[in-house]
Amino acid sequence: MAEQQMEPVPGAQDRVERLRVFLVDDHAMFRAGVRAELGSHVEVVGEASTVAEAVARIAATGPDVVLLDVHMPDGGGRAVLDAMRRSHPQVKFLALSVSDAAEDVIGLIRAGARGYVTKTISPGELTDAIRRVADGDAVFSPRLAGFVLDAFAARPDAPVADPELDQLTNREREVLRLLARGYAYKEIAKELFISIKTVETHVSNVLRKLQMSNRYELSRWAADRRLV
């Protein structure tokens, strides 16, 4: 008896490929407008109007990309990023704001956002920006990209402040870098001319200081800061 071919469900492929997006903005009318404009291009899995609400619902829904407002009454986009960066490193953030101030752009990018666009962006451009951020690209409105370049070109030799990284000793950073490259403890010990026990101690200290629980989290953290 010949096997019966199953008919593809109309639109099934579109549903599989649609990115899961979460909206964070304290204006309900704006969220409704964004949801309508994005239409069927993405799947909006949730929305929030406050930092606390955003943190809880992003954790619950696990979206691919979060569209994040910069200024909200209880802390804004930076507070959401700070709360989510460690616990959900796989979620990518795209700032969508009325503000085009250089300090807002630089602040959000340093906090971990993958891009920053203004609310004058067209629906098609926003959809494209979401997909590019999901793919790992950095996306900026044209004028804002200049702010980022100028900020780092102004003092090219000045390190970007990173309180988490600053609390690690030089040796702990060396161990972390090799760990993130895939070295085993034995290989790290050989490379740095220290004992395996000392390597274990350094790794334990790094985990404690960064409040992480495993090697995978440390590797992602190091990669995000381009320490590898």
Side-chain angles (χ1 to χ4, degrees):
M1 182 176 178
E3 291 186 6
Q4 186 177 3
Q5 295 287 332
M6 292 187 65
E7 294 278 339
V9 178
Q13 186 66 24
D14 291 338
R15 288 198 297 273
V16 171
E17 294 180 350
R18 282 193 301 167
L19 291 170
R20 304 174 73 254
V21 175
F22 193 98
L23 309 178
V24 180
D25 194 288
D26 59 331
H27 296 288
M29 289 184 63
F30 178 76
R31 296 197 308 272
V34 171
R35 183 188 289 269
E37 294 286 4
L38 291 176
S40 61
H41 299 294
V42 303
E43 179 185 359
V44 178
V45 296
E47 55 186 68
S49 60
T50 67
V51 171
E53 187 180 30
V55 170
R57 293 187 177 178
I58 291 170
T61 57
D64 299 305
V65 177
V66 175
L67 291 181
L68 188 64
D69 193 13
V70 178
H71 296 294
M72 295 188 293
D74 57 344
R78 180 64 182 268
V80 176
L81 277 165
D82 289 342
M84 301 301 300
R85 184 171 55 189
R86 285 200 199 102
S87 60
H88 292 74
Q90 76 281 4
V91 178
K92 296 180 175 65
F93 291 83
L94 172 61
L96 176 61
S97 177
V98 68
S99 171
D100 60 0
E103 59 268 25
D104 287 336
V105 179
I106 301 304
L108 265 290
I109 297 305
R110 283 179 169 164
R114 292 294 304 172
Y116 194 119
V117 295
T118 61
K119 291 181 177 179
T120 58
I121 192 170
S122 71
E125 290 172 332
L126 180 57
T127 300
D128 180 62
I130 291 170
R131 293 194 178 280
R132 288 173 60 192
V133 165
D135 288 339
D137 292 341
V139 180
F140 302 93
S141 294
R143 178 168 176 259
L144 306 186
F147 290 158
V148 178
L149 292 173
D150 290 345
F152 291 100
R155 298 182 63 197
D157 299 324
V160 177
D162 190 329
E164 291 181 314
L165 184 60
D166 290 345
Q167 64 184 316
L168 303 182
T169 66
N170 289 335
R171 179 62 86 185
E172 287 168 351
R173 295 187 194 192
E174 291 174 344
V175 170
L176 172 60
R177 187 175 292 109
L178 293 175
L179 193 71
R181 289 177 180 173
Y183 282 55
Y185 284 10
K186 183 178 180 180
E187 294 171 323
I188 295 174
K190 183 178 180 180
E191 183 77 15
L192 299 180
F193 301 99
I194 56 180
S195 69
I196 295 177
K197 183 66 175 178
T198 301
V199 173
E200 292 173 348
T201 299
H202 285 313
V203 172
S204 177
N205 288 339
V206 172
L207 286 169
R208 175 178 52 80
K209 289 180 179 180
L210 299 182
Q211 299 180 26
M212 296 181 187
S213 59
N214 56 57
R215 176 177 184 153
Y216 174 76
E217 290 182 353
L218 285 179
S219 296
R220 288 293 301 269
W221 187 90
D224 287 344
R225 284 160 176 75
R226 299 181 180 177
L227 300 178
V228 181

